[in-house]
Amino acid sequence: MHQRLNRFLEAVASLSSRLSPELSLAGTAIPAVDAARPKAANLSALPGAQERSPSASPLVAKGEAAGLSSYPPVEKWDEWEEYDPKAWPERVKRRYMLIPTTCFNCESACGLLGYVDKDSLEIQKFEGNPLHPGSRGRNCAKGPATHNQVYDPERVLYPLKRAGKRGEGKWVRVTWDQVLEDLGERLRKAFQEGRHNQVIYHVGRPGHDGLMEWVLFAWGVDSHNSHTNVCSSGARAGYAFWMGLDRPSPDHANARVVLLISSHLETGHYFNPHAQRIMEAKMAGARLIVLDTRLSNTASLADYWLSPWPGSEAAILLAIANHLIHTGRYDREFVKTWVNWEQYLKAEWPAEPCTFETFEEKLKELYGEYTFEFAAAESGVEAEVIRQVAEEVARCEGKLASHTWRSATAGNLGGWQVARALWFLNVLTGSIGVEGGTSANAWDKWVPRPHKMPPHPDRWNELTWPDEYPLTFYELSILLPHFLKEGRGVIDTYFTRVYNPVWTNPDGMSWMEVLTDEEKMGLHVCLTPTWSETAWFADYVLPMGHASERHDITSQETHGGRWIAFRQPVRRVALERMGQDVNYTYEANPGEVWEETEFWIELSWRIDPDGSLGIRQYFESPYRPGEKITAVEYFRWMFENTVPGLPEAAAERGLSPLEYMRRYGAFEIRAGVEAPYIQPVEAELLEDAHVDPETRIVYSRAPAPASPNITPHPAFPDDGGGRPVGLQVGDQALRGFDTPSRRLEFYSPTLRQWGWPEHTIPGYIHSHVHPEVIDQQANEFVLIPTFRLPTLIHTRSGNSKWLYEISHKNPLWVHPRDAARLGLRTNDLVRVSTEIGYYVIKAWVTEGIRPGVVACSHHMGRWRLQDTAMERWSSALVDLTPQGEGRWQMRHRQGVLPFESSDPDSKRIWWSDVGVHQNLTFPVHPDPISGMHCWHQKVVLEKARPEDRYGDIYVDTDRAHAVYREWLALTHPASQVSPDGTRRPYWLLRPFRPTRAAYQLPSGKFAE
Ligand code: SF4
């Protein structure tokens, strides 16, 4: 099996889309495909292959020419034959129907092809969909491993209801009808009594676009809660203060310089779609620069690997900016036209001439202190290396593809300034919205609008959008336990959906405490495709479909282009193609696994069966007036009406838009980069428009044209003078950027107005783990707990046997110099103490980390409290023992063992270690501006004490609450600083935005 594992790893490393039979756990059939396939499938025959599909990409084309990559031709997808590998050496043919769907194992939404056996209707395997514009037929290991998730003998197949106390682990099977009746009645009562804010929907991996806006707006609730502040609030804030939109979309493939603050070749966001394009760029001569304290696989492939002290990244980026500014190698015309330098000079230097030359002088003054030597002193990276990197950026010729997500932006107090400093380099080099540069995500994303979109809710939920964080990017979800403990509210019904806060979030013991408190948490409904630590503390565990068991639309900004993909329940589609009627997806799924679109439609209908609450109207069919919409109708209508070019492309092939998406699984709306900011303002907006003579901003009083794309955009209020819709450039009215100034906001008036005048321009904030607060003599270290493993994905890979066979432990990376000082060797036990407790883990002595810093992957340390009802592939059996008020100890009773199940592989498990759950020992660290949980920890290392055992965890939740209060004290609440009596700047992006009226602070809260 070890041999097989090595070969699998090789396959993973090459990002191949195909697996060979030797790579699987014994007994799991993954048929060999080469023998049965034409060596060079005729990709040009695929519909849309030349003009729209990824198969025309250079990399695929090279692979095809070399005979290294082939896919079954699409015209044979209904009738595809391969030899049965289990029958070898006999040549026994098996017949498949190939149904496209979309991977659900990370946010990239790569295309998959499900091989449905036409005789047994079982899914034989998943491979890549060559027609998917993002992934182009290639997947990481987690894509094919969807097969494990579908056929996991441990999975939840039926709705379960708690029987004993919450968390006691006693369950009874119930019917879906009972569940829906109970929830429908409960929610109806809450809405009739005006308790909308007591209903919270908390999502981990959404996996769809647009669906929940439709549902939650129809309910009239401001109840959306996300995982974003354990993920990306920092990066989002940094980008949004610049341009209104909160994510980057690099065109890696055409870049001259790729600058990554993260590890996008192996694990960062959109890493498979990014990785293929970064490698294309490298093969074409681009330079790859990676800032990562840890030697990641990505860093090992970089031309320049910089290993900075955690939190010093912005100092390096600003030193590069300083180099560009002082050598005059920046795009002067771009900066002069598109940066709000006039606004900056008028606000900060009103006595000086408001000329671009003055601004250039100010830039030199502002960033002059960021010398290479300064950056070197802060980061520990040699000044000469930083100079070389700065030279590379200076030579990028407007083709700088940059990206950061999580990583430094998610680790540090002030991490949002890392994204702001990185985007500064794109601004200076003019690498925005151009080939080889970086765009805004919304330019490359398309979210279709449903047939009837409800209005924005007229409510503001302070449990998710508290007064203290008026500028936060997304909800303060990590603070929910503390808000409940403080009595800020109670929750009547709490939905968790593909979300595991007990395990994924910091401070999981505080989550356990509130989840088991029925006064604070009335009903916990866990919608999940798999068991999780959080499901254990639910009242209902409701099984939801994996990638091949549900419908969703997804669109991601994977490259310079725009596409949508259709996730499909492959067995349902196969059955329908064979002529069988399927009314609901659960009829074709295993057990009683539902898909969520059907769940939310059904639940909404039961909340408001007679329409008296105004909810039902949104769930009536556009095709059958007055009747309940089906999931298929929901998607069909969007394909027919709101995806540009799809109806025409479908008609060319004699298909309806739905049939097109069913058959090919994806549609490319646009190939190549587009820059909306240089496009003319829409004619209808100019009908009632005027230009401010001083700022040249175009204001319009005309209503915004209805767009079929509901990708979030900033919203600008019209307070009498119209809304800013563009910028006069020369004699043209161009759209500009999505900011109040319609320019790139180097200077952020918003940050000044809302209490942060010291942070209005790209800058460098000392992290909470800056060297000045780390006493290395006292064995204090910085812990990097954020890094991903290429083969795992948070909670959902817990039921993938192939993935856990590859990766199942998370030792602590320790530099040899530190190890020698502490007397540690690889595999020695080490106690890692945080502010609220400690954990005991094994050391891994490696030069892949810088001295003074340790690192531990967050994917590991799954646990379960009872032997059954949890993923036994991946979890340790533990004892959880109270140690007095607010103090908890967790101790491993046993690791993973082979077990009996319907899958013979469960008897062949050879690993026992599943790692240690470090997140339990972290208090919350919400950044006072972005709201990002600042993951990095100051820890104390020591050799394990005699009483310590591997996997031990100790936590003091009273102390966790005290740390929460310390960070809360850093904030500037809206009620104290709001310049206009609102809770939050209306123009800043906010998911599930309520009405403008709901933004108003309640009377008495506004300080003025
Ligand atoms: S990169 Fe993400 S979406 Fe793509 S195959 Fe891997 S897990 Fe699935």
Side-chain angles (χ1 to χ4, degrees):
M1 186 175 291
H2 292 280
Q3 225 178 3
R4 287 198 299 273
L5 172 61
N6 288 336
R7 298 175 79 164
F8 197 0
L9 281 167
E10 283 166 19
V12 170
S14 70
L15 282 171
S16 165
S17 66
R18 293 181 298 169
L19 299 176
S20 68
E22 296 89 343
L23 307 179
S24 67
L25 277 157
T28 301
I30 310 175
V33 293
D34 284 0
R37 285 185 180 170
K39 275 297 176 199
N42 181 11
L43 287 177
S44 61
L46 303 182
Q50 294 307 321
E51 72 274 31
R52 289 203 177 85
S53 96
S55 51
S57 79
L59 196 61
V60 172
K62 280 176 192 167
E64 282 299 304
L68 294 176
S69 175
S70 61
Y71 302 92
V74 71
E75 61 271 17
K76 293 191 178 176
W77 283 6
D78 273 350
E79 188 64 54
W80 181 249
E81 289 186 349
E82 289 185 359
Y83 292 121
D84 184 347
K86 282 187 173 173
W88 189 85
E90 297 298 316
R91 292 192 169 193
V92 176
K93 281 186 179 174
R94 291 177 64 180
R95 301 182 312 131
Y96 298 103
M97 191 177 289
L98 276 47
I99 312 290
T101 186
T102 308
C103 183
F104 190 34
N105 278 335
C106 86
E107 59 286 279
S108 302
C110 297
L112 294 174
L113 277 183
Y115 283 57
V116 181
D117 187 303
K118 294 183 78 165
D119 298 311
S120 67
L121 282 175
E122 297 302 323
I123 305 166
Q124 180 68 12
K125 61 177 175 177
F126 293 95
E127 294 198 343
N129 177 3
L131 298 184
H132 188 291
S135 56
R136 305 184 291 188
R138 281 160 273 180
N139 301 97
C140 78
K142 301 187 289 286
T146 300
H147 194 273
N148 294 170
Q149 297 169 316
V150 172
Y151 289 102
D152 168 28
E154 302 278 89
R155 72 179 292 189
V156 188
L157 286 173
Y158 303 95
L160 299 175
K161 186 175 184 180
R162 164 169 72 93
K165 282 193 211 154
R166 204 181 282 163
E168 204 180 358
K170 293 182 179 160
W171 307 97
V172 290
R173 182 173 158 185
V174 289
T175 66
W176 275 103
D177 198 51
Q178 288 170 314
V179 173
L180 288 159
E181 265 314 293
D182 184 17
L183 293 180
E185 205 170 299
R186 187 180 181 97
L187 293 171
R188 181 167 63 249
K189 186 166 186 292
F191 297 159
Q192 283 170 333
E193 294 172 0
R195 293 183 288 109
H196 295 73
N197 282 352
Q198 292 183 9
V199 177
I200 299 273
Y201 163 81
H202 202 162
V203 64
R205 171 58 42 215
H208 58 72
D209 286 329
L211 174 73
M212 292 313 293
E213 280 90 342
W214 180 53
V215 174
L216 296 181
F217 282 5
W219 292 6
V221 294
D222 181 30
S223 290
H224 181 263
N225 209 3
S226 66
H227 73 282
T228 304
N229 69 342
V230 295
C231 172
S232 57
S233 299
R236 287 176 189 272
Y239 286 110
F241 291 137
W242 261 114
M243 60 172 167
L245 301 173
D246 65 351
R247 292 179 79 138
S249 177
D251 180 26
H252 286 308
N254 299 301
R256 286 190 186 278
V257 175
V258 176
L259 175 49
L260 305 176
I261 302 184
S262 185
S263 46
H264 283 63
L265 273 176
E266 53 163 326
T267 60
H269 260 61
Y270 307 144
F271 82 92
N272 168 31
H274 276 191
Q276 8 181 311
R277 294 172 171 90
I278 292 169
M279 295 316 295
E280 281 176 33
K282 258 188 84 85
M283 287 190 288
R287 308 296 270 172
L288 175 60
I289 302 163
V290 174
L291 272 70
D292 195 336
T293 308
R294 190 181 59 90
L295 178 60
S296 60
N297 295 343
T298 306
S300 71
L301 285 172
D303 296 293
Y304 295 91
W305 169 43
L306 278 60
S307 170
W309 184 269
S312 65
E313 291 82 356
I316 294 174
L317 297 171
L318 294 177
I320 298 171
N322 183 34
H323 183 66
L324 301 178
I325 292 164
H326 274 263
T327 58
R329 283 186 291 173
Y330 58 95
D331 189 332
R332 202 163 177 267
E333 271 315 299
F334 181 86
V335 174
K336 188 175 179 182
T337 305
W338 292 113
V339 169
N340 69 336
W341 55 270
E342 288 166 286
Q343 198 171 19
Y344 168 69
L345 290 178
K346 284 172 186 165
E348 300 291 327
W349 306 96
E352 305 223 11
C354 189
T355 65
F356 188 64
E357 289 70 25
T358 308
F359 179 64
E360 289 182 299
E361 284 308 308
K362 291 300 171 198
L363 278 181
K364 286 182 181 165
E365 288 171 21
L366 289 167
Y367 294 100
E369 66 180 294
Y370 292 101
T371 61
F372 296 136
E373 290 70 27
F374 171 80
E378 288 295 297
S379 66
V381 177
E382 284 178 32
E384 173 56 21
V385 174
I386 302 173
R387 189 194 66 74
Q388 288 175 23
V389 166
E391 272 297 307
E392 295 286 1
V393 173
R395 287 196 290 264
C396 78
E397 298 179 5
K399 290 175 180 276
L400 174 66
S402 69
H403 202 285
T404 183
W405 209 246
R406 299 200 178 119
S407 183
T409 57
N412 299 289
L413 175 70
W416 58 276
Q417 280 280 29
V418 176
R420 199 145 153 71
L422 183 62
W423 191 247
F424 193 18
L425 300 183
N426 282 93
V427 174
L428 287 169
T429 56
S431 309
I432 294 176
V434 292
E435 192 174 87
T438 310
S439 294
N441 67 323
W443 304 347
D444 292 339
K445 187 175 170 75
W446 187 271
V447 180
R449 181 178 290 273
H451 67 289
K452 190 167 183 176
M453 192 69 188
H456 296 244
D458 194 16
R459 294 182 175 81
W460 188 281
N461 198 328
E462 294 190 354
L463 280 178
T464 46
W465 294 92
D467 179 46
E468 290 89 343
Y469 294 89
L471 303 179
T472 181
F473 264 72
Y474 288 37
E475 309 86 358
L476 262 299
S477 66
I478 53 168
L479 302 188
L480 187 61
H482 298 288
F483 291 165
L484 295 176
K485 285 184 175 188
E486 285 180 341
R488 295 194 186 200
V490 295
I491 295 179
D492 178 274
T493 306
Y494 181 59
F495 292 97
T496 49
R497 206 214 117 198
V498 198
Y499 194 42
N500 187 8
V502 169
W503 185 78
T504 307
N505 281 10
D507 200 8
M509 294 293 187
S510 293
W511 280 89
M512 271 187 272
E513 288 176 350
V514 298
L515 285 173
T516 49
D517 184 338
E518 294 183 33
E519 298 282 309
K520 297 182 174 66
M521 191 70 76
L523 187 82
H524 173 199
V525 184
C526 183
L527 282 68
T528 181
T530 178
W531 276 106
S532 73
E533 287 78 354
T534 298
W536 195 254
F537 297 96
D539 298 294
Y540 283 117
V541 178
L542 305 182
M544 292 290 150
H546 288 294
S548 57
E549 299 165 345
R550 48 188 296 131
H551 292 96
D552 297 296
I553 291 180
T554 52
S555 172
Q556 306 292 11
E557 63 280 12
T558 52
H559 61 286
R562 188 179 251 175
W563 53 265
I564 62 163
F566 194 26
R567 186 173 290 123
Q568 305 196 76
V570 300
R571 278 168 39 141
R572 173 181 179 155
V573 176
L575 281 167
E576 287 175 341
R577 247 180 235 175
M578 290 175 179
Q580 191 168 322
D581 284 342
V582 184
N583 293 318
Y584 294 95
T585 296
Y586 58 77
E587 296 167 11
N589 279 348
E592 292 178 7
V593 171
W594 271 43
E595 71 161 298
E596 287 180 32
T597 308
E598 288 176 352
F599 172 78
W600 295 115
I601 292 170
E602 189 62 40
L603 178 57
S604 301
W605 199 264
R606 298 209 191 197
I607 293 169
D608 188 21
D610 59 5
S612 59
L613 295 182
I615 294 172
R616 175 183 147 142
Q617 57 179 308
Y618 301 105
F619 301 92
E620 292 176 359
S621 166
Y623 303 101
R624 298 171 293 113
E627 294 184 50
K628 186 169 37 180
I629 192 172
T630 66
V632 172
E633 287 175 335
Y634 170 75
F635 294 105
R636 174 188 157 192
W637 191 92
M638 289 190 283
F639 293 146
E640 288 174 354
N641 295 282
T642 64
V643 182
L646 174 58
E648 296 78 9
E652 275 174 32
R653 291 160 182 86
L655 300 171
S656 72
L658 175 65
E659 287 168 341
Y660 184 102
M661 295 304 287
R662 280 259 189 257
R663 180 149 296 272
Y664 307 121
F667 178 71
E668 189 167 57
I669 296 172
R670 188 196 74 231
V673 172
E674 187 177 84
Y677 69 92
I678 52 171
Q679 291 173 358
V681 175
E682 293 91 329
E684 54 264 58
L685 289 176
L686 289 177
E687 280 172 15
D688 189 9
H690 66 278
V691 179
D692 183 308
E694 191 180 336
T695 63
R696 300 186 303 288
I697 297 171
V698 180
Y699 291 93
S700 173
R701 293 194 187 87
S707 169
N709 180 7
I710 61 166
T711 303
H713 278 272
F716 298 97
D718 181 351
D719 292 321
R723 293 174 296 105
V725 296
L727 195 64
Q728 187 178 353
V729 179
D731 57 359
Q732 286 184 295
L734 304 182
R735 282 158 69 171
F737 291 88
D738 285 325
T739 58
S741 67
R742 303 308 293 185
R743 295 173 171 89
L744 289 161
E745 296 202 337
F746 164 80
Y747 168 72
S748 171
T750 302
L751 281 161
R752 167 166 285 286
Q753 290 161 0
W754 289 78
W756 301 97
E758 67 274 36
H759 296 313
T760 55
I761 62 172
Y764 169 46
I765 297 174
H766 279 195
S767 166
H768 64 300
V769 293
H770 188 271
E772 66 198 7
V773 299
I774 305 291
D775 182 354
Q776 297 195 29
Q777 296 310 312
N779 292 334
E780 289 180 355
F781 288 78
V782 179
L783 168 65
I784 296 177
T786 43
F787 71 92
R788 285 178 169 189
L789 299 175
T791 43
L792 293 182
I793 190 75
H794 310 301
T795 296
R796 291 191 307 295
S797 47
N799 60 354
S800 295
K801 59 187 179 184
W802 297 337
L803 301 179
Y804 257 80
E805 185 182 16
I806 296 169
S807 310
H808 43 258
K809 48 193 170 188
N810 60 342
L812 188 76
W813 297 36
V814 187
H815 190 273
R817 201 186 307 164
D818 295 323
R821 188 158 55 83
L822 294 164
L824 288 174
R825 289 174 306 178
T826 291
N827 284 333
D828 281 355
L829 288 186
V830 55
R831 181 190 275 216
V832 182
S833 296
T834 67
E835 293 162 280
I836 65 167
Y838 65 82
Y839 63 97
V840 179
I841 197 166
K842 288 175 186 165
W844 181 42
V845 181
T846 169
E847 291 188 342
I849 193 78
R850 67 174 307 122
V853 182
V854 292
C856 184
S857 168
H858 67 280
H859 279 311
M860 301 292 176
R862 305 298 306 278
W863 48 266
R864 63 187 195 276
L865 295 169
Q866 289 181 11
D867 198 30
T868 54
M870 189 60 170
E871 296 300 335
R872 283 179 285 176
W873 306 98
S874 56
S875 62
L877 184 62
V878 301
D879 289 322
L880 178 62
T881 318
Q883 304 281 303
E885 190 65 23
R887 293 192 294 280
W888 297 92
Q889 185 175 49
M890 183 176 283
R891 173 156 277 188
H892 282 195
R893 219 190 301 168
Q894 69 184 37
V896 166
L897 294 171
F899 60 93
E900 293 281 356
S901 78
S902 57
D903 181 348
D905 279 342
S906 65
K907 286 286 287 177
R908 301 185 179 108
I909 291 175
W910 54 264
W911 60 95
S912 58
D913 191 357
V914 290
V916 182
H917 183 198
Q918 59 178 342
N919 291 5
L920 279 176
T921 67
F922 301 160
V924 292
H925 290 159
D927 182 275
I929 293 177
S930 70
M932 178 75 227
H933 169 60
C934 306
W935 277 102
H936 293 348
Q937 307 283 320
K938 178 166 87 172
V939 296
V940 176
L941 255 56
E942 60 184 303
K943 287 188 83 160
R945 298 178 190 178
E947 68 272 24
D948 289 343
R949 281 168 36 187
Y950 179 68
D952 276 0
I953 286 166
Y954 173 81
V955 175
D956 180 340
T957 54
D958 288 344
R959 178 71 194 127
H961 192 71
V963 175
Y964 146 73
R965 296 294 306 178
E966 289 166 19
W967 282 71
L968 195 67
L970 303 176
T971 61
H972 295 171
S975 54
Q976 294 173 19
V977 300
S978 173
D980 57 2
T982 60
R983 300 171 187 269
R984 173 182 177 82
Y986 188 65
W987 78 273
L988 273 190
L989 281 178
R990 213 215 92 161
F992 296 74
R993 183 196 298 278
T995 58
R996 181 108 195 276
Y999 272 67
Q1000 209 61 37
L1001 282 161
S1003 60
K1005 267 207 163 182
F1006 184 34
E1008 286 183 11

